[in-house]
Each structure stands twice: as structure tokens, then as C-alpha cells.
Amino acid sequence: MSTTPKSLLWTRTDTAGAEHALVDDDHGLTARGTLLAVDPIPYTCRYQVATDSNWGSVRLEVEVEGAGWRRNVRLERATQRWRVTAAEQGDLEAVLTGGGHPPAGLPGVEDPDRLAEAFDVDLSGSPLFNTLPLRRLGLTTAPVDTRHRISVAWVLVPSLTVLPAEQVYTGLGPSRFRYVNGGFSAEVEVDPDGYVLRYPGLVQRATTR
């Protein structure tokens, strides 16, 4: 697989928005990226993520901001435990409820031990984070119908609430996999390095001309 630094851009297909990620996968993955979206309210989300050499997640930092509010969360894994810190400025709850949307809840997680089984982190709305379990589990080269049920630390955007979640990844060949999270399922197309090309109902990777 290629280890050349990458600049990846996805456009949202479910709402107005995009993501740009700068990725280095020479020894595991280090990446930083920016997401923009208008749903449920306009926001900018910036993140940095790092894995170990086996693609197990070790750190994620996320900051989200909109008009009159800002939130951040940091997850770090060491000695098989996650440490989670979070902060907020302004009042995202008031902005959401004022626009007729459900409240968001607090950033972070009350009990980090609920994340004890998670080897991966997942940032909602970002296709980059699907690559982490794909590469960690070797699904891009595994036999068709190889299936893994995994636990992840799932960071919701824009609230930055962190939830433990079970997800299922099933390899469908070198260029596709099936993703299941609760009642949601999608068949996702990836490039030879495991980065998303097309995620139905979420994003499409932009190509240079």
C-alpha cells in the first residue's frame, strides 16, 4: 500500500458540506482535517488523529465551533484505558433549541471506562475514520465476507458527546465493505489504500482535474 502523504477531499451528499484531510500513513496514521457542514446548524470541525503502528487509535483531538459557541474534546489511550477531557465556550444547547433542534448533550463522556473495549475512534460525518478499522483488521485484503464486530469511541458532531458503540465491518472484496452501526447500514467503496471513494448518503471523494 502507498505511504505517500495524501491530501483527501470529500464533498457531502446528504447536506451542504465538505471535508479536507492531510494524511501520513507511513507508520500507522497521523492526520489532521477540517469538516464544514450546515446541518443541524452551520459549524466548522477541526481534528487531529493518531494511531500506533498497528493502526490502533491512540489519540484524537476535536474542536467544533459555530456562531456564539465552541467545544473541544481530547481522547488519549494509554495502558488500555482512555482519558477524555472536554470543554465548552458559549451555549450550543441554546443555539440548537432556538433553531428547533433537539438538545445536544454535554461534550465528552461521564465515565471513560465505558470506552475500555474500544481500539478505534470514530468521528461522525467523517469518512476518514472508516479507514482506521479497515487497515487495523486487514479487511482490504481479507477473503470476501470476512466480518468483524468492533467497539469504538464514537464522537458525535457537533455536540462532541463521546459514546461507546458497536459497529460491524464486513469485507466485500478489495474495493468495498459493508458498515453497520445500530440500524444503519451502507456499502462503501474504497481505494486500494482503504480510503473512502463513495459512501452512499454521506460523501463522495473529489478528484483532481
Side-chain angles (χ1 to χ4, degrees), residues 71-82:
R71 289 186 170 194
N72 61 73
V73 68
R74 179 184 179 98
L75 291 78
E76 294 179 284
R77 182 166 63 90
T79 62
Q80 306 305 313
R81 296 189 66 184
W82 285 98

Side-chain angles (χ1 to χ4, degrees), residues 12 15-17 36-43 101:
R12 293 282 289 261
T15 188
L36 303 169
V38 300
D39 208 10
I41 55 176
Y43 64 82
H101 303 288

Side-chain angles (χ1 to χ4, degrees), residues 61-95:
E61 300 176 51
V62 189
E63 179 183 84
V64 183
E65 63 179 328
W69 61 272
R70 177 182 297 174
R71 289 186 170 194
N72 61 73
V73 68
R74 179 184 179 98
L75 291 78
E76 294 179 284
R77 182 166 63 90
T79 62
Q80 306 305 313
R81 296 189 66 184
W82 285 98
R83 181 172 181 265
V84 181
T85 56
E88 177 181 28
Q89 299 175 22
D91 194 343
L92 172 59
E93 295 280 89
V95 175

Side-chain angles (χ1 to χ4, degrees), residues 19-86:
E19 176 178 356
H20 180 219
L22 299 172
V23 175
D24 188 332
D25 56 8
D26 189 22
H27 295 91
L29 176 134
T30 58
R32 66 183 189 274
T34 302
L35 293 84
L36 303 169
V38 300
D39 208 10
I41 55 176
Y43 64 82
T44 299
C45 174
R46 302 177 183 89
Y47 64 82
Q48 296 185 57
V49 61
T51 74
D52 59 25
S53 59
N54 295 316
W55 286 76
S57 301
V58 295
R59 187 178 72 256
L60 173 63
E61 300 176 51
V62 189
E63 179 183 84
V64 183
E65 63 179 328
W69 61 272
R70 177 182 297 174
R71 289 186 170 194
N72 61 73
V73 68
R74 179 184 179 98
L75 291 78
E76 294 179 284
R77 182 166 63 90
T79 62
Q80 306 305 313
R81 296 189 66 184
W82 285 98
R83 181 172 181 265
V84 181
T85 56

Side-chain angles (χ1 to χ4, degrees), residues 140-182:
T140 56
T141 57
V144 173
D145 291 332
T146 298
R147 182 175 179 270
H148 292 274
R149 181 180 297 274
I150 64 173
S151 296
V152 306
W154 190 24
V155 182
L156 305 183
V157 178
S159 70
L160 300 190
T161 300
V162 183
L163 301 173
E166 279 200 346
Q167 300 176 351
V168 179
Y169 280 74
T170 304
L172 301 176
S175 63
R176 287 189 306 129
F177 71 94
R178 181 181 298 111
Y179 168 81
V180 177
N181 186 350

